[in-house]
Amino acid sequence: MKTAHDLVTQAKSTVREIPLDQAEYAVRNANVVLDVREAEEFAAGHLPGAIHVSRGLLEFKLSGSPDLSSRALSFVLYCKTSGRAALAAKVMHEMGYRDVISIAGGYDAWVAAGKPVVKPL
């Protein structure tokens, strides 16, 4: 029986994960930056320009949102530490999205590096 860790490890072996030093460039040039954390995590702070789509609703939101349905869009995904983003990227590949990357270390690494975030007032 596989664990969550096993599934994340398997996903990371099949998706493109970029190191933090390439993340700002990727975020600036992506069509869509997706935060796949939970709503309260997103509300507490997120990358500038990111939109929120919880990992648990990803497939439904992609299928039901005309703005996100084009397989020609480039996506950068992130979560807290990169596990959920890797799982989300894997699912997106299975759905036919081809330009999907995730950020190694996720939001925590981004914040630790002093990169810009949007936080509530």
Side-chain angles (χ1 to χ4, degrees), residues 74-97:
S74 62
F75 289 85
V76 173
L77 281 59
Y78 70 92
C79 62
K80 180 174 173 50
T81 60
S82 74
R84 287 175 283 180
L87 293 170
K90 182 176 184 282
V91 165
M92 288 181 72
H93 281 278
E94 292 170 359
M95 292 177 73
Y97 293 90

Side-chain angles (χ1 to χ4, degrees), residues 24-66:
E24 271 188 292
Y25 177 82
V27 166
R28 272 195 313 272
N29 291 294
N31 296 117
V32 182
V33 178
L34 281 182
D35 183 322
V36 297
R37 299 175 300 158
E38 296 301 314
E40 61 274 3
E41 292 174 291
F42 181 81
H46 55 272
L47 275 61
I51 62 172
H52 176 251
V53 178
S54 295
R55 169 61 196 100
L57 297 175
L58 180 69
E59 295 89 328
F60 301 104
K61 291 285 188 177
L62 292 173
S63 295
S65 299

